Structure formats: C-alpha cells, structure tokens
Amino acid sequence: MQIGRVRGAIHSTINHPFYDGRKLLIVDYLDTGGEPTGEYVIAIDTVDSGAGETVLVLDEGNSARQIVDRSNAPVRSVIVGIVDQISIP
Amino acid sequence: MHLGKVIGTLTPCVVYAGLEGVPLLLVQPLDAKLHDHGAPFVAADSTRMCGRDELIYYESSREAALALDPWFVPVDHAIIGIVDDVHLTDFLGREG
C-alpha cells in the first residue's frame, strides 16, 4: 500500500458501468517525509476521505476486487484508510 | 487509473481474435495538472464513445482486460471513462 494525499476529484458521466456513482479521487503519492513524489493515481474512495487528507491507497487488483466484492471489476486503486499519524523513530 | 488525452485513432486490418471491432485509440498520458507525462500508447476504448482531444482516464494490465465487454480480451491499456471535469484543490503546502 502507499501513503498519499487527496488532491482533488474527477467527475465523469460516460464511463464503465462499475464506476457509475463512485467517487473518483486524485491522490498524490507521498514519501515518508510527507512530500509528494510526483506520482499520482485516481482511486475510488471507500472511507469518505476528502481533499487534503492523508490516506492509505491500495494499488493491487485482486485486493481491490475483494473490497468491492466484484470478481470482474476493472479496479485497482482503492483508498482504504485515512492516516492520522506516521511515526518513524 | 491515470489521466490521458485521446490524440488519435488506430485502425488495424488484422487483429488477434477477440479484438475485432474494439475501438483502438492513441492516448497521451497526462499528470494531475494535465501536462504531458510519458510516451503515448494505444488503448482499447471500453466506453466506445471517446473522440479526439477528449480527456479520459485509463487503466492498465489485468484491469484493462476486465474493462472490456466481453472481458478478458487481450489488451494492456483500456479507457475507463471520459472526464467531465477535474477539481484540483492544491493542498501541497499544508501539513499532512
């Protein structure tokens, strides 16, 4: 999984049926220092996260399909958590 | 998934079985601020409605094969949808 920060959302009306009515968030990946790495991903949201929040992004198809409980859903990136604190001693 | 822009179409005369009739489009990958970000590639259009210069979002690998109907057609990139708008609220300056 990756640490990311929600930077915004995209809205789409013409899309694959699986994505109808789903929240699509743009998430910037962060390094362990909390700085953006330059990479981003569009992920579906399952924890009601919003712009500016630090989140946990899962980026693997099988796990994503388990989460949405659909064996043939074309989904890979899912926000699975909102991060409160990262401590690296 | 990532953002991309349709920059062209591609019409093959011979294709692998299962790819007949699947629209193939040339896509320029973009970063979150819609600047070019990487080399163009060919993607199958699962919406079958994309046109030139449209802003889209695409998926790759197994998820691309799953996006088409019938699914599991041998493609490595597929357009998932057309973007109506992108709302970026730049929070890069704020602490996490």
Side-chain angles (χ1 to χ4, degrees), chain A residues 5 7-16 19 24 28 36 40-42 51-52 54 61 65 72-76, chain B residues 1-3 30-31 33 57 59-63 66-67 71 80-82 84-90 92 96:
Chain A
R5 179 174 298 134
R7 188 161 163 203
I10 66 168
H11 304 291
S12 168
T13 41
I14 299 172
N15 51 341
H16 186 276
Y19 287 95
L24 294 174
D28 274 329
Y40 78 100
V41 76
I42 301 171
T54 303
R65 280 184 280 283
N72 59 354
V75 60
R76 186 164 78 196
Chain B
M1 291 187 295
H2 293 89
L3 294 168
L30 304 175
D31 65 18
K33 289 216 161 179
Y57 49 105
E59 191 51 279
S60 53
S61 74
R62 180 187 169 99
E63 284 66 46
L66 287 172
W71 51 277
I80 301 291
I82 300 172
D84 294 337
D85 49 51
V86 178
H87 282 280
L88 274 194
T89 49
D90 265 351
L92 298 184

Side-chain angles (χ1 to χ4, degrees), chain A residues 2-9 25-32 34-43 49-57 77 79 83 86, chain B residues 1-3 30-34 37 87-94 96:
Chain A
Q2 303 265 359
I3 304 166
R5 179 174 298 134
V6 178
R7 188 161 163 203
L25 298 178
I26 292 183
V27 181
D28 274 329
Y29 282 143
L30 304 179
D31 60 23
T32 49
E35 290 309 311
T37 62
E39 289 304 316
Y40 78 100
V41 76
I42 301 171
S49 58
E53 287 186 311
T54 303
V55 292
L56 197 56
V57 182
S77 308
I79 295 174
V83 177
I86 301 168
Chain B
M1 291 187 295
H2 293 89
L3 294 168
L30 304 175
D31 65 18
K33 289 216 161 179
L34 311 187
H37 182 68
H87 282 280
L88 274 194
T89 49
D90 265 351
F91 279 80
L92 298 184
R94 239 183 68 190

